[in-house]
Amino acid sequence: MEEIKYRGKKREGRHRDTWDPFQLNPIGAEKESKRRCFQLAQYMVAVFVGLAVLTSAVVAKGSLLVLSTLSSPTSMRSPKEKQFYMLMLVFCLVFPNILVFLKSLWRCAFKSFVKPNIKTMSFIFAIECLVSLGTSTLVLVVMPQFDVLTNLFISGGVCIVSAILQIIYRLQRETWKIVFPICSLILTVAGYCLLGIDYYVRVSSYVDRQSADCFIYVGIGIFASLLVSLCWWENPLQATNSMQETLTELDGFRDFVFVISSILRILVIGAVYLVYHVLIEKSITWSDFNLQDKDWELLQIGLVLLFLQAFCSAACHWFGVVACKIHSVKMSFALPVCFTGPAVLLLGLILFITQAQSLQGAQSGSVTEFCESLIHLNNKNTTPVVLLEITRSICRTSLNSYYLQWPFSMLALEGVCMWSGFVSCTYYVWKIKVQRIERTSQLFVRRLYESAFIDLSLLLNTKMKVPRAQNQESGDDMQKCVIYLCATMWHETYDEMLKILTSMFRLDRYRGDPNEEHNDCFDFECHIYVDDAFMTEKETGHRLVNSYVTDLIHVVIEVYRVFTNKEPDDVSIIMTPYGGRMMFVMPDGNMLYVHLKDKNLIKNKKRWSQIMYMYYLLGWKGYIVKNPQKMTRQHNPSRESMVSMYGEIFVLPQHDNDYKRKFISDDNTYILALDGDTDFQPKAVILLVDRLRMYSNVGAACGRIHPTGMGPMVWYQKFEYAVGHWLQKTTEHVLGSVLCSPGCFSLFRGSALMDDNVMKRYTTTATRASEYVQYDQGEDRWLCTLLLQQGWRVEYNAASDAYTNSPEEFKEFYNQRRRWGPSTLANTLDLLHSGPETVKRNSSISRLYIFYQMFTVGSSILGPASVTLMIAGAFQFVFKIAGTTSIIIASVPPVFYIIVCFVAKPNNQITIAAIMSILYAFLMTASFFSIIGDMVVQGTFLTPTGLFLVSMAIMYAVTAILHPEEWGMIIYGLMYFICIPSGYLLLTIYSLVNMHIVSWGTRESSKGEGEVKKNHNVLCDRNCTLCCWDVKLQVTQESEKLMLLHMPGQTAQQTPALGITNPYSLIENAEPEATVDTKTEKDVEEVKKHPGDKHKGMVVKGHDAASVSSDDTLYKNSITPSLSDQGDVEEDDDLMIAAIGEKELTVKEWVKPVKEEFLKKLTYANMKRNLQEQIRYTLHNIKEADDVCEELVLMLTDTLSRELSGVGPEDVLPETKLEELGCSLEEHARRILRINQKEKLENRVKVAIKKTLTAPQIKNLDEGEKDFWNKLLERYLTPIIDTKAHTEEITRELKSLRNKAVFLYFIINVLWVVATYFLQAIGTDVLSIKIPKLFPNGTESGENLNVEPLSLMFLFSFAILLLIQFVAMLYHRVYTLIHVVAYRSSEKDYKEKIEEEEDDCLTLENEDGLSFSNDDL
């Protein structure tokens, strides 16, 4: 209700100034805000991950301590049990090495292999062998000799080498922080000393008959801890300049090194086990490993402890990585990992205190009596083994001393020292700075974790991020980037244009002022490329913008009003060799360009628009960035060597990003490809940018595309898109690389597009039939194929949502898929054909992935046959027809439709397909219910068909639940099911047979070209027959005006200005104007030679105001000065490029009606609103300026109303009146500011007034850019005029290609159907697989199910494919959740930045005291 009142209040304010206060309010224009539910979910995820880290670490550490206690020589277990538990300890150490071995082997075999450096590899192998020696010695030799508390504490000493290296290299940001590693070293040494003293006291006090050889194990334990601490040598060194070349080189072949080092580590662990326990202790009896039935308890305890230790240590490592990636380092990573040791100790003490009394037979009394009584419980079956051994181990400490028990405090102090030592050594973890999304290799140094010391391993392995040197950048800062949003438009409707413009303005609001810093560190520009933007006026031959451009102008103005409540400020109309350009400054200062393409001057359609903006943004702009002297600057002598009032180098707004791009590499220059109807949020763009920032080999990333619209066809596409993204795209992303990044919403890396064989190859003009299919029917898929073949990766981000209109009509849908189907197949086959070479170049594509794609292509080729057989099964189910007969009947409709497609016209083919689709839908519905009924009759669903159907339903239901924001898509699954014959059978036939048709097929319209006038301008349009002659009679408003002028006492009435007509045609009829002849092939040749000189219009002269009626004087005078040839174009120091007195500006015919639309901002109603909002926006972030702001708004509005009291609300002011009004407003503003003592704000208010009264400007391109466009047109984009002979040749080749493809498809599918037919004909008793029929409870029914081998094989293969996709989807969902939570934690909060009042007046002073300010200038 409050929102309705707010909108009503704003509307009332507009209504005071105009009779038309009503406006559109597009969905999504409101400000984004952080949603509480997402914040709550973020905290819940962080808490869950933190608890998971703590729990898994405690269980892993506790399991290892229990195993070492059970395998101890002093344990009360039998020798057979001890050696089995010792073997479990060995497996605990081996398990993480096996994981690393498998992962590294996979990457070497299927990703990339780099030849290693022998010297570096030998050094790494030596370190790894020493670390493995230390780990196995400490765990297998030393820890069994110690009690459980000592084993818990001694592991803290493995940080000693890391502390020493930190001290040596002084890796602290602040000097005083060197105290932390020094304290760590002192505390660790103190802990070792206390360990020795503690055992000395035990030996001298005869605690538990402790022998003197324990000192040997103390020494070995300390030495082994030192060897283990070498494991993390790389972390301190990577943060310095030491060994940088070695470490960088190591990153290239780290996978191969890990393959070998994992094997070496396993061998060392086995060698230590065999040498000590077989050769030295001789405690292994090999025959005891042959466990009997009576040893079930032993096997159960050992395997459970092994599983808990191995699984929980791996889980702790994974959850630790997740905690860092979701920006919960302190709460979910550092805190639980640091307190793992105390938590284990606390848990052990609680168990000891609460459960010790439950040991039946244990005497309660003194500690010594209690410990002595434990020995009698060894043979009692009722005693818990684990609890007994832990209690017995605690009794080996000084608590069990007959003489002194106070030495036990030394053991406790040892634990405090060790724990404090490694916490102080890893102090930097608490202050680690994590970007929104980071790779694991950027967070942790080593991929391997030490399962025996999982908590210490995680902390010490966390990468130290400190400045490496003063001349090097810190890796903590997010790299800045430039994003070019490029939308291609082709006959979009008003509502579709509204979506894309609203999305761009939302991003402008999210990014804010380009002069301010932003958390996401990106700058952007918006570019819209309008195909077929011009039409030829039939009477004059002039090229004018068509109604699509007029609609686009209205949308820009409307969206600008919605976001700012005012008209566009800075508008420039630029004449270009390819047509025209409109330039806007968006509300927060970012740039919007609208490029109007004239198809008589430049190639039209989407691919050529993409080539156009790639060469312009990456080629031309990249060139001027690398040559700054060619960058357009302000031609104002007084400002050449000065800075502006805002402290910036004075460059034009449109060149602001070009200036910033000097410091940004091509790798961080991105192009966001969009369609003209795409709707997206800023979050979607940022999530795609994150993918490209994280991985340098990612050339493109796409988001989740949601089709919008209404009707059955849209319902079908909703589920089709959902399944395609849920399962297919995620599988491609996980197994290899996405094959197609759709052009409606995809982010491309500049350096990837600029790579060899990508952008240059993309400019190839199709000359052969196969090229027409691959290049022009699916340009986005071909571009991705080029990227993949050059070694770039394409990724998919499921959280990056974009919405685009989908075909709502059956015909439009079929025509769209007629283009997509053959193009998809052609590009996939091209990629498979170049598979061996692509595998060598692209680390993301493996031979296994190529095999997966071959399987999916084979499945799609067999799609028509599979659907035919499914229809045959439906006939068999519903009508109880024999199998062979049902196959024959099911094959008749496809054959009939193939014949229809060869003989009928495309529209008739689609009509017949629609009728057949409806009939098939009825059959599929009957089949669906028949299958369910058959399962009810059979009393079981455990049949191949029933099991497949049920498992499919469960899988899709689970998949939908895992996509909570899209789970409603599952409702459209039934629609998708009944449309399977139409989508996979009829559509395949239609697209193949019509492959020779290469027209676009969608959004075709005659509205753009050949349009003469709006219908309401034609007063009479009749065809008459007079004396056998056909006469066309047409009377327009202009003709009526001419007649009225010759009638006494009559005056022509003003006609409203239209985007495609001239309201002053009466006056202009008497003027000489430039004309454009109808284009012929000869003209095209001239365009090829001189593309920039095609249209040379004459200069439009000014009008005499006295010759016009008084009612029109104000309106006409406001337009004519800006178009007149006065020699001095409007002088604007901040916006105009040319200096006063430059060459006369030649204005083309299309410019005037475009400018008229923007001149409406100079009406009284619009100026009043604009002035109010300009003042508020200019002063909105100035501290303590609210009062003076409202006073300025009130007083200046009053001044405006007073000055324009005699002007109508829709009248446009002339230039002279605007100048007078500007002076009056500035004078009143200066007076108000002086009264309020806010003179410092004067310049800001002047700028606001100036923007309010500024008319749109007409410009020419500078010579450098104009020359670029002329050469680009000549080289790549000159319109193609195909000769009749060439067209006939291409048509013949396309039909030949069509015939080959149809024949291949037909033969393969017929073979599959015929094979199934003969298997049915032979009989199920001869060739069939008998499967026992089972009831749901698992009991056999005594009957067998006969299944054909081919059907079962196909069913089984399809089930495996779905299972692979389902597992890949689960993997992808987890990492999508991590990314979303990470984004939410760094999401922008729309809080206005409050600035202190600043002195905008620039004052310069020289040595002699001479000073002047910008007011003097």
Side-chain angles (χ1 to χ4, degrees):
M1 192 62 189
E2 293 296 328
E3 186 179 354
I4 294 176
K5 291 181 179 179
Y6 174 71
R7 293 201 303 267
K9 186 177 179 181
K10 290 182 66 176
R11 184 177 61 254
E12 288 177 5
R14 296 194 300 268
H15 209 169
R16 295 189 189 98
D17 305 319
T18 179
W19 53 267
D20 186 12
F22 318 111
Q23 66 178 24
L24 293 176
N25 192 6
I27 298 174
E30 63 277 358
K31 267 193 177 182
E32 301 87 352
S33 59
K34 287 190 175 183
R35 294 167 62 179
R36 291 294 180 88
C37 58
F38 284 129
Q39 290 180 331
L40 181 61
Q42 176 189 339
Y43 290 131
M44 290 177 64
V45 169
V47 170
F48 171 78
V49 172
L51 291 176
V53 170
L54 180 61
T55 303
S56 56
V58 168
V59 173
K61 202 172 187 69
S63 301
L64 185 78
L65 293 174
V66 170
L67 278 176
S68 64
T69 301
L70 292 174
S71 61
S72 173
T74 60
S75 169
M76 294 186 291
R77 301 297 95 201
S78 65
K80 181 178 182 179
E81 292 176 304
K82 292 178 183 178
Q83 73 176 33
F84 180 75
Y85 292 132
M86 182 60 67
L87 184 63
M88 295 299 102
L89 269 180
V90 173
F91 289 156
C92 287
L93 297 181
V94 168
F95 180 76
N97 292 284
I98 293 177
L99 290 181
V100 172
F101 171 78
L102 294 175
K103 185 173 183 179
S104 301
L105 184 63
W106 168 272
R107 294 175 65 88
C108 286
F110 298 113
K111 297 293 183 179
S112 61
F113 173 77
V114 180
K115 187 176 180 181
N117 181 287
I118 301 300
K119 183 178 179 181
T120 304
M121 189 170 62
S122 302
F123 172 75
I124 300 300
F125 289 164
I127 295 291
E128 294 296 323
C129 289
L130 290 175
V131 171
S132 183
L133 177 64
T135 303
S136 54
T137 302
L138 188 60
V139 175
L140 303 179
V141 177
V142 177
M143 289 178 66
Q145 303 293 331
F146 292 162
D147 61 89
V148 65
L149 294 179
T150 303
N151 289 335
L152 176 63
F153 299 150
I154 196 174
S155 60
V158 298
C159 64
I160 190 167
V161 169
S162 179
I164 292 173
L165 291 177
Q166 288 184 49
I167 296 171
I168 293 175
Y169 290 107
R170 298 179 178 273
L171 299 179
Q172 297 71 33
R173 291 179 182 271
E174 293 87 10
T175 307
W176 67 271
K177 287 187 178 180
I178 198 173
V179 172
F180 288 106
I182 292 175
C183 289
S184 173
L185 182 60
I186 294 173
L187 290 170
T188 304
V189 173
Y192 283 139
C193 294
L194 290 171
L195 174 64
I197 295 172
D198 179 42
Y199 269 87
Y200 174 77
V201 172
R202 294 188 196 184
V203 172
S204 59
S205 302
Y206 303 100
V207 176
D208 196 43
R209 294 177 290 279
Q210 185 74 56
S211 61
D213 60 354
C214 65
F215 295 115
I216 298 175
Y217 291 104
V218 170
I220 294 175
I222 294 174
F223 179 71
S225 297
L226 291 173
L227 292 181
V228 175
S229 63
L230 292 173
C231 182
W232 301 281
W233 64 273
E234 192 177 343
N235 196 2
L237 292 182
Q238 60 85 28
T240 69
N241 283 327
S242 303
M243 300 182 66
Q244 282 302 309
E245 294 183 3
T246 302
L247 296 178
T248 304
E249 185 182 29
L250 176 61
D251 288 334
F253 53 84
R254 191 181 291 272
D255 292 315
F256 179 76
V257 169
F258 275 139
V259 170
I260 307 300
S261 64
S262 299
I263 298 175
L264 291 177
R265 287 172 66 103
I266 294 173
L267 293 176
V268 171
I269 292 171
V272 171
Y273 171 73
L274 294 175
V275 169
Y276 180 76
H277 292 282
V278 176
L279 300 180
I280 299 177
E281 291 293 322
K282 298 180 180 179
S283 59
I284 302 297
T285 304
W286 298 108
S287 60
D288 288 343
F289 287 116
N290 186 16
L291 300 179
Q292 306 297 325
D293 294 339
K294 62 180 180 179
D295 298 317
W296 167 247
E297 183 183 8
L298 168 64
L299 182 64
Q300 185 181 25
I301 294 174
L303 291 180
V304 167
L305 289 173
L306 171 63
F307 173 78
L308 288 176
Q309 208 286 328
F311 175 78
C312 290
S313 58
C316 181
H317 178 261
W318 186 80
F319 278 113
V321 174
V322 171
C324 294
K325 289 188 174 184
I326 65 174
H327 296 189
S328 185
V329 177
K330 293 181 181 178
M331 184 175 74
S332 302
F333 178 71
L335 185 65
V337 172
C338 285
F339 284 91
T340 296
V344 172
L345 178 62
L346 181 63
L347 181 62
L349 291 177
I350 291 174
L351 290 175
F352 177 74
I353 294 172
T354 58
Q355 301 296 322
Q357 299 299 326
S358 66
L359 294 175
Q360 299 178 5
Q363 297 178 3
S364 58
S366 63
V367 176
T368 55
E369 293 175 355
F370 174 78
C371 292
E372 285 182 357
S373 64
L374 293 177
I375 218 164
H376 303 294
L377 303 179
N378 187 25
N379 298 322
K380 293 188 178 181
N381 295 329
T382 59
T383 304
V385 173
V386 174
L387 180 60
L388 176 63
E389 292 300 335
I390 290 177
T391 307
R392 178 72 184 86
S393 180
I394 293 176
C395 289
R396 295 175 59 196
T397 65
S398 298
L399 284 175
N400 193 21
S401 174
Y402 286 93
Y403 303 103
L404 299 173
Q405 292 185 350
W406 65 263
F408 180 76
S409 60
M410 286 192 297
L411 180 61
L413 186 60
E414 173 199 343
V416 172
C417 289
M418 291 293 191
W419 180 79
S420 303
F422 86 80
V423 169
S424 58
C425 180
T426 56
Y427 71 95
Y428 55 86
V429 175
W430 295 84
K431 294 291 185 181
I432 188 173
K433 183 179 179 182
V434 181
Q435 296 181 17
R436 176 184 293 115
I437 180 170
E438 285 200 272
R439 302 175 64 175
T440 306
S441 58
Q442 295 170 329
L443 296 170
F444 298 94
V445 178
R446 295 165 53 85
R447 188 177 304 140
L448 182 65
Y449 64 92
E450 298 295 329
S451 60
F453 321 102
I454 185 62
D455 51 340
L456 296 150
S457 174
L458 285 175
L459 288 174
L460 293 170
N461 197 30
T462 304
K463 184 172 284 188
M464 300 178 64
K465 295 186 177 182
V466 295
R468 296 175 179 171
Q470 292 182 356
N471 60 343
Q472 294 184 0
E473 293 183 3
S474 172
D476 295 351
D477 297 328
M478 188 180 293
Q479 295 175 330
K480 292 183 179 295
C481 67
V482 171
I483 308 172
Y484 295 106
L485 277 69
C486 300
T488 53
M489 285 192 174
W490 171 256
H491 297 170
E492 271 74 15
T493 64
Y494 189 96
D495 291 334
E496 291 170 343
M497 295 176 184
L498 198 61
K499 290 181 180 179
I500 186 66
L501 264 300
T502 302
S503 300
M504 289 178 171
F505 275 68
R506 274 197 299 254
L507 187 62
D508 172 67
R509 183 170 61 198
Y510 178 86
R511 172 59 183 88
D513 191 341
N515 294 322
E516 295 179 358
E517 292 294 328
H518 195 273
N519 292 333
D520 288 314
C521 300
F522 73 92
D523 295 288
F524 80 98
E525 289 179 359
C526 296
H527 294 260
I528 298 176
Y529 292 80
V530 185
D531 264 311
D532 194 17
F534 291 85
M535 51 162 267
T536 301
E537 191 177 39
K538 187 170 291 186
E539 287 85 354
T540 63
H542 293 166
R543 295 292 285 175
L544 304 176
V545 295
N546 57 26
S547 58
Y548 294 110
V549 178
T550 306
D551 287 343
L552 180 59
I553 293 171
H554 292 161
V555 169
V556 173
I557 295 173
E558 192 68 40
V559 174
Y560 210 103
R561 286 174 184 165
V562 170
F563 276 79
T564 64
N565 199 30
K566 58 188 177 69
E567 307 292 310
D569 295 330
D570 302 310
V571 180
S572 298
I573 303 169
I574 304 171
M575 293 167 287
T576 62
Y578 57 81
R581 181 190 302 171
M582 294 183 291
M583 184 174 69
F584 305 88
V585 179
M586 300 171 79
D588 278 293
N590 299 286
M591 301 302 300
L592 168 64
Y593 301 87
V594 177
H595 303 262
L596 308 177
K597 295 175 58 181
D598 188 343
K599 65 182 182 181
N600 289 349
L601 301 176
I602 189 171
K603 290 178 181 177
N604 67 331
K605 295 300 177 66
K606 185 173 181 177
R607 179 159 74 98
W608 304 110
S609 293
Q610 290 179 327
I611 293 169
M612 179 180 173
Y613 65 65
M614 287 178 190
Y615 270 88
Y616 174 53
L617 300 175
L618 301 177
W620 168 250
K621 284 184 175 286
Y623 168 72
I624 64 172
V625 163
K626 294 174 176 60
N627 298 272
Q629 69 276 8
K630 297 184 179 294
M631 195 176 298
T632 307
R633 292 177 179 272
Q634 191 73 11
H635 291 165
N636 190 330
S638 63
R639 283 180 171 172
E640 282 184 353
S641 59
M642 301 174 64
V643 295
S644 72
M645 68 179 73
Y646 302 111
E648 301 233 344
I649 294 179
F650 207 86
V651 295
L652 297 173
Q654 62 267 33
H655 296 291
D656 185 50
N657 279 334
D658 299 338
Y659 178 77
K660 293 177 181 178
R661 195 173 153 188
K662 289 194 302 183
F663 312 102
I664 298 174
S665 66
D666 293 332
D667 287 333
N668 295 319
T669 302
Y670 307 136
I671 287 182
L672 182 65
L674 301 165
D675 276 353
D677 59 354
T678 305
D679 184 15
F680 62 90
Q681 295 286 342
K683 178 197 79 169
V685 180
I686 303 305
L687 292 178
L688 293 184
V689 171
D690 288 340
R691 302 304 304 179
L692 270 67
R693 272 179 172 153
M694 185 168 65
Y695 295 104
S696 59
N697 67 328
V698 175
C702 61
R704 166 71 164 96
I705 309 302
H706 299 264
T708 58
M710 296 181 64
M713 289 313 306
V714 178
W715 300 342
Y716 173 85
Q717 292 172 84
K718 281 180 179 290
F719 190 79
E720 181 193 32
Y721 273 68
V723 172
H725 286 87
W726 290 352
L727 297 175
Q728 295 172 12
K729 259 192 168 41
T730 53
T731 306
E732 290 179 351
H733 173 96
V734 172
L735 296 185
S737 175
V738 175
L739 296 188
C740 178
S741 188
C744 59
F745 188 70
S746 294
L747 189 70
F748 293 90
R749 190 188 300 274
S751 57
L753 296 174
M754 298 164 71
D755 200 0
D756 297 341
N757 292 327
V758 178
M759 198 155 75
K760 190 71 173 178
R761 179 86 183 277
Y762 198 55
T763 61
T764 304
T765 302
T767 55
R768 297 181 299 171
S770 59
E771 293 175 351
Y772 276 96
V773 174
Q774 183 179 2
Y775 296 178
D776 294 331
Q777 299 297 288
E779 65 290 326
D780 45 6
R781 186 173 284 270
W782 183 42
L783 180 59
C784 291
T785 301
L786 296 176
L787 290 173
L788 293 173
Q789 290 173 336
Q790 282 302 110
W792 294 94
R793 174 177 167 81
V794 181
E795 290 199 346
Y796 164 61
N797 190 300
S800 180
D801 297 300
Y803 301 82
T804 184
N805 282 18
S806 58
E808 297 183 357
E809 302 295 332
F810 191 84
K811 176 184 176 182
E812 190 178 7
F813 173 74
Y814 259 52
N815 281 329
Q816 182 194 66
R817 300 310 169 92
R818 184 253 301 157
R819 289 188 292 111
W820 288 4
S823 171
T824 298
L825 183 62
N827 279 282
T828 306
L829 292 177
D830 182 21
L831 188 66
L832 295 179
H833 177 71
S834 63
E837 185 65 27
T838 305
V839 168
K840 291 179 183 178
R841 287 189 174 189
N842 198 321
S843 61
S844 299
I845 294 181
S846 61
R847 295 177 183 86
L848 195 63
Y849 181 69
I850 293 292
F851 176 77
Y852 167 79
Q853 289 297 336
M854 290 173 63
F855 185 78
T856 56
V857 169
S859 301
S860 65
I861 291 176
L862 289 174
S866 304
V867 173
T868 302
L869 294 175
M870 186 174 67
I871 298 299
F875 280 123
Q876 198 171 354
F877 266 120
V878 178
F879 302 109
K880 307 302 179 185
I881 304 175
T884 53
T885 307
S886 64
I887 291 177
I888 294 174
I889 296 174
S891 301
V892 171
V895 174
F896 165 74
Y897 189 62
I898 290 175
I899 297 172
V900 167
C901 288
F902 271 101
V903 299
K905 293 182 178 180
N907 287 341
N908 296 333
Q909 298 172 27
I910 294 175
T911 302
I912 295 173
I915 297 172
M916 294 179 67
S917 298
I918 295 173
L919 298 176
Y920 271 132
F922 283 121
L923 181 62
M924 292 298 294
T925 304
S927 173
F928 176 73
F929 288 105
S930 298
I931 293 173
I932 296 176
D934 182 68
M935 287 191 289
V936 173
V937 171
Q938 296 285 343
T940 179
F941 64 87
L942 297 178
T943 63
T945 305
L947 198 61
F948 181 74
L949 188 65
V950 172
S951 60
M952 281 274 292
I954 294 175
M955 188 188 73
Y956 282 132
V958 173
T959 304
I961 292 171
L962 292 175
H963 295 76
E965 293 186 349
E966 305 173 36
W967 67 269
M969 297 296 129
I970 199 70
I971 300 173
Y972 304 114
L974 183 60
M975 180 70 187
Y976 181 81
F977 176 77
I978 65 176
C979 291
I980 284 177
S982 178
Y984 289 89
L985 179 61
L986 302 180
L987 180 57
T988 302
I989 295 172
Y990 175 78
S991 61
L992 282 174
V993 177
N994 292 279
M995 188 189 296
H996 63 288
I997 302 175
V998 292
S999 64
W1000 206 247
T1002 55
R1003 295 186 186 273
E1004 299 294 347
S1005 172
S1006 59
K1007 206 168 77 167
E1009 183 61 43
E1011 186 177 359
V1012 184
K1013 303 289 178 187
K1014 295 282 188 184
N1015 290 335
H1016 53 261
N1017 283 345
V1018 179
L1019 302 179
C1020 177
D1021 188 3
R1022 292 188 179 182
N1023 294 316
C1024 307
T1025 303
L1026 181 62
C1027 297
C1028 301
W1029 292 92
D1030 291 329
V1031 179
K1032 181 176 179 63
L1033 180 64
Q1034 187 178 74
V1035 180
T1036 64
Q1037 284 183 332
E1038 285 78 2
S1039 303
E1040 184 190 30
K1041 288 181 183 180
L1042 286 172
M1043 291 187 291
L1044 289 174
L1045 281 177
H1046 290 84
M1047 297 174 64
Q1050 298 292 333
T1051 306
Q1053 299 298 316
Q1054 181 183 346
T1055 308
L1058 300 172
I1060 62 168
T1061 60
N1062 194 335
Y1064 309 107
S1065 55
L1066 171 62
I1067 299 173
E1068 291 179 352
N1069 281 339
E1071 294 181 0
E1073 289 189 350
T1075 60
V1076 182
D1077 297 331
T1078 305
K1079 189 179 71 171
T1080 61
E1081 289 191 23
K1082 183 178 179 181
D1083 296 328
V1084 173
E1085 294 300 324
E1086 291 297 323
V1087 173
K1088 291 181 179 179
K1089 295 178 182 178
H1090 307 287
D1093 302 326
K1094 177 64 181 172
H1095 296 292
K1096 294 282 186 179
M1098 296 179 65
V1099 179
V1100 181
K1101 300 296 182 181
H1103 305 299
D1104 185 2
S1107 65
V1108 188
S1109 62
S1110 59
D1111 292 339
D1112 299 331
T1113 303
L1114 287 175
Y1115 189 59
K1116 295 181 175 60
N1117 281 347
S1118 66
I1119 298 175
T1120 53
S1122 60
L1123 296 177
S1124 61
D1125 181 17
Q1126 298 175 0
D1128 51 346
V1129 184
E1130 286 182 326
E1131 181 182 357
D1132 187 338
D1133 290 343
D1134 294 331
L1135 297 174
M1136 292 299 292
I1137 301 174
I1140 297 175
E1142 73 166 324
K1143 189 178 178 180
E1144 294 179 353
L1145 186 64
T1146 303
V1147 179
K1148 295 185 179 180
E1149 296 82 4
W1150 63 268
V1151 173
K1152 186 174 181 179
V1154 171
K1155 184 172 182 179
E1156 288 169 5
E1157 292 294 333
F1158 295 109
L1159 279 174
K1160 294 177 184 177
K1161 71 171 283 190
L1162 299 180
T1163 62
Y1164 165 70
N1166 287 334
M1167 276 198 299
K1168 182 177 179 182
R1169 185 176 66 248
N1170 293 348
L1171 180 61
Q1172 293 172 351
E1173 296 304 321
Q1174 285 285 8
I1175 297 295
R1176 290 192 179 105
Y1177 180 78
T1178 302
L1179 305 179
H1180 76 287
N1181 58 353
I1182 303 298
K1183 189 176 180 181
E1184 298 179 358
D1186 294 340
D1187 295 337
V1188 70
C1189 176
E1190 291 306 317
E1191 185 178 353
L1192 280 169
V1193 168
L1194 183 63
M1195 299 302 294
L1196 294 183
T1197 303
D1198 184 64
T1199 302
L1200 186 70
S1201 302
R1202 188 171 58 252
E1203 292 286 337
L1204 304 180
S1205 57
V1207 178
E1210 300 296 325
D1211 294 340
V1212 178
L1213 300 183
E1215 184 178 6
T1216 54
K1217 187 65 177 177
L1218 289 174
E1219 293 178 358
E1220 295 175 3
L1221 182 60
C1223 295
S1224 178
L1225 290 174
E1226 288 181 8
E1227 179 61 30
H1228 281 78
R1230 188 180 301 111
R1231 187 181 307 130
I1232 295 169
L1233 292 174
R1234 286 177 181 173
I1235 293 173
N1236 289 275
Q1237 298 181 354
K1238 299 287 185 180
E1239 292 89 346
K1240 294 179 181 179
L1241 302 178
E1242 184 176 339
N1243 284 332
R1244 288 178 177 267
V1245 176
K1246 282 183 178 180
V1247 170
I1249 296 172
K1250 188 175 183 180
K1251 285 186 176 182
T1252 304
L1253 305 179
T1254 300
Q1257 300 177 46
I1258 300 173
K1259 301 180 182 180
N1260 265 327
L1261 289 179
D1262 62 81
E1263 291 301 320
E1265 185 175 344
K1266 186 175 181 181
D1267 180 65
F1268 155 75
W1269 283 113
N1270 287 331
K1271 291 179 179 177
L1272 181 67
L1273 291 172
E1274 181 181 357
R1275 193 170 301 176
Y1276 300 115
L1277 299 177
T1278 302
I1280 301 174
I1281 300 296
D1282 292 328
T1283 62
K1284 184 177 180 180
H1286 180 259
T1287 303
E1288 291 175 351
E1289 176 67 18
I1290 291 297
T1291 303
R1292 186 188 61 78
E1293 289 184 9
L1294 284 169
K1295 288 185 176 180
S1296 175
L1297 179 65
R1298 182 270 311 270
N1299 295 336
K1300 294 176 183 176
V1302 171
F1303 177 76
L1304 181 63
Y1305 252 83
F1306 183 78
I1307 289 298
I1308 294 174
N1309 283 274
V1310 165
L1311 288 175
W1312 184 263
V1313 173
V1314 168
T1316 307
Y1317 173 82
F1318 278 108
L1319 286 175
Q1320 290 273 4
I1322 292 172
T1324 56
D1325 295 333
V1326 180
L1327 282 175
S1328 65
I1329 299 174
K1330 294 181 173 56
I1331 301 175
K1333 180 180 176 182
L1334 300 175
F1335 290 113
N1337 58 7
T1339 59
E1340 294 187 9
S1341 64
E1343 301 176 8
N1344 290 329
L1345 298 172
N1346 298 320
V1347 184
E1348 298 93 4
L1350 275 179
S1351 301
L1352 186 63
M1353 181 192 70
F1354 184 78
L1355 204 64
F1356 186 67
S1357 302
F1358 193 64
I1360 291 177
L1361 180 64
L1362 285 178
L1363 182 62
I1364 292 172
Q1365 292 180 343
F1366 184 74
V1367 173
M1369 181 273 300
L1370 293 177
Y1371 179 87
H1372 194 268
R1373 289 311 294 164
V1374 172
Y1375 284 93
T1376 300
L1377 176 64
I1378 292 172
H1379 193 180
V1380 170
V1381 175
Y1383 169 78
R1384 293 296 177 186
S1385 64
S1386 58
E1387 185 179 10
K1388 177 178 177 178
D1389 196 3
Y1390 287 85
K1391 293 181 179 178
E1392 292 186 350
K1393 181 181 177 182
I1394 304 300
E1395 299 178 357
E1396 297 288 343
E1397 293 182 19
E1398 56 184 18
D1399 189 359
D1400 288 338
C1401 298
L1402 175 67
T1403 302
L1404 300 178
E1405 185 173 350
N1406 64 3
E1407 297 177 355
D1408 300 326
L1410 177 63
S1411 63
F1412 56 92
S1413 67
N1414 57 354
D1415 287 338
D1416 299 325
L1417 297 176

